[in-house]
Every structure is written in C-alpha cells, then in structure tokens.
Amino acid sequence: MLRQPHTSSREIIVANAIREVVSELRLVDPADYIALIRLESMASLSDIVMSAAELYLMPGTLRLGHGSEAHISWNEPPRIVLDLELRPKGVRVYLKLTLSADEASVELGYVAFDKPSDDPEANTLFLQQALENARLRRTPPSRAGCDTQTG
C-alpha cells in the first residue's frame, strides 16, 4: 500500500485517541488473545474490544474489524494484531493495532470521510476533532450533601 504524506500524522492522532483503550486491552493475557484468535472466537474478541472502549469512547465508536492475528514463535515474544474500526461521527477509520511485550502501534489502512474536503489537512483536523468529540467526558462525583466541616 502506498502511504500518503498525511498518514503518519493521522496515525499519531488515532494512537493518542485510543491510548487509554489500548492500556485496557493490554490487561488481557497474550495467551488469551492467542487462544481466541486460534479458535476463531471473534465474538469474544469483539466483547473484549467493546468492553475496553466503553470506558473511554462513545458507544459504537470502536469495534473489532474482520480479522486478527497472533504471531508466535520460539524466537520472539508474541505479537497480537487486532483489526479495528473507529467510527466517530463523520468518519470511518480502518486500522491494525499491534500489541507486543514492549509496545503498541497503530497502522492505518483506510480513512473515509462522510464529507471529505479537497484539502488533506482539513480532513486531518476533522478527524482529530471527531475523535475528540467521541471521547466520554467523565464528571467528578457530586459532593452535594456532603458535610466537610467538623464540629
């Protein structure tokens, strides 16, 4: 696949947008990913991805795509590759998330805008804003009714 000049900046935007989700996905033991992938239990993998995403992103924003890979050998640590779909409002992003012992990486496959601009920079800014809008906003618990004074 021929990489476009704006692909790297979009990969950084996507990686930053799903950073917390990736941290949650890394809590799953690699052996579990390997078993689910080898047994083609895509529904279970999908549940893992949706459970991790629901903590940080609006419902339906991130989901498992159509495939996953487990790379294992005697010579190197396991590497798990998850096909993911990001669907914030107005854009669809197809990507591969690679999880290994020391790092996680994002590789964009395709980005489709509902109303694309002729300017790639404008599209990149739209992607960044759409992903920001898809983040869940956590409000601190209300302290109403709590008496903080001691008497």
Side-chain angles (χ1 to χ4, degrees):
M1 180 174 86
L2 180 64
R3 286 180 61 89
Q4 300 295 319
H6 47 271
T7 300
S8 293
S9 60
R10 291 179 183 174
E11 284 175 340
I12 292 168
I13 290 167
V14 168
N16 286 331
I18 64 170
R19 178 181 311 261
E20 295 93 352
V21 176
V22 172
S23 292
E24 294 291 325
L25 292 172
R26 290 179 69 90
L27 295 174
V28 176
D29 191 281
D32 293 333
Y33 281 121
I34 292 166
L36 292 172
I37 291 168
R38 292 282 169 100
L39 295 172
E40 297 182 4
S41 184
M42 294 303 131
S44 296
L45 277 173
S46 181
D47 286 346
I48 290 169
V49 171
M50 287 190 333
S51 295
E54 73 185 3
L55 300 170
Y56 304 100
L57 300 170
M58 300 294 275
T61 301
L62 182 67
R63 61 182 167 200
L64 185 69
H66 295 291
S68 299
E69 304 167 18
H71 299 271
I72 54 175
S73 75
W74 293 109
N75 301 323
E76 59 186 44
R79 190 168 40 98
I80 306 301
V81 181
L82 301 174
D83 284 342
L84 300 175
E85 295 179 22
L86 255 176
R87 293 181 170 242
K89 188 173 182 173
V91 63
R92 290 177 315 281
V93 180
Y94 302 92
L95 64 124
K96 288 186 181 291
L97 171 65
T98 301
L99 303 170
S100 64
D102 299 325
E103 64 183 15
S105 64
V106 167
E107 180 183 345
L108 294 187
Y110 185 73
V111 180
F113 296 91
D114 290 353
K115 296 178 183 174
S117 169
D118 290 334
D119 179 13
E121 289 298 319
N123 288 331
T124 300
L125 290 173
F126 180 85
L127 171 64
Q128 185 172 18
Q129 189 60 53
L131 288 169
E132 182 61 32
N133 291 341
R135 293 183 60 78
L136 287 177
R137 307 286 189 258
R138 302 268 184 217
T139 56
S142 173
R143 304 217 6 113
C146 293
D147 185 8
T148 58
Q149 297 178 358
T150 57

